[in-house]
Amino acid sequence: MKTRAITGFVFILVMISSLLLGAYVFTGFYMFLSLVCLIEFFMLVKTTGIRPHRMIAYFTALVMFASVAASYFFQFESKWLLINIPLFFSIFVRELFKKS
């Protein structure tokens, strides 16, 4: 329990420092964090015997995160975010036509 508390404290310090260092550092840190969480999720799913398409998921997650961040940083119209919809559903279509 003590180790978990120390790890949590260090993680809170890292989160606050990424917030104070600016928007680009904050965005980069949370993009990295979301990919680490996705890798952790796939490691948990691997134990069940399910084999999802990881590369499609990584690519989709990166593009979706980057497009939302870019819409904030560059202030472009939000209709460009509609590209995320077919990208998101591509994961389901790929799973539907999977051979095994």
Side-chain angles (χ1 to χ4, degrees):
M1 190 67 167
K2 183 177 170 183
T3 306
R4 187 172 290 209
I6 293 171
T7 306
F9 180 72
V10 170
F11 188 68
I12 287 173
L13 289 178
V14 169
M15 286 181 10
I16 291 173
S17 64
S18 72
L19 184 62
L20 295 176
L21 287 174
Y24 293 113
V25 174
F26 179 78
T27 303
F29 174 70
Y30 280 96
M31 184 180 285
F32 170 74
L33 188 63
S34 66
L35 284 177
V36 169
C37 290
L38 194 57
I39 290 169
E40 179 74 21
F41 171 74
F42 283 134
M43 288 173 60
L44 290 171
V45 168
K46 187 177 180 180
T47 61
T48 64
I50 300 172
R51 298 180 47 101
H53 296 281
R54 294 183 318 212
M55 289 303 146
I56 293 174
Y58 295 147
F59 177 75
T60 303
L62 278 175
V63 169
M64 289 176 78
F65 193 99
S67 66
V68 171
S71 72
Y72 171 75
F73 287 124
F74 303 121
Q75 301 295 320
F76 59 82
E77 294 180 28
S78 57
K79 69 179 180 180
W80 287 102
L81 293 177
L82 294 176
I83 196 166
N84 289 336
I85 295 170
L87 193 60
F88 178 73
F89 284 108
S90 70
I91 297 170
F92 299 114
V93 170
R94 181 71 175 133
E95 285 294 320
L96 182 65
F97 293 109
K98 194 169 149 180
K99 293 198 186 256
S100 61

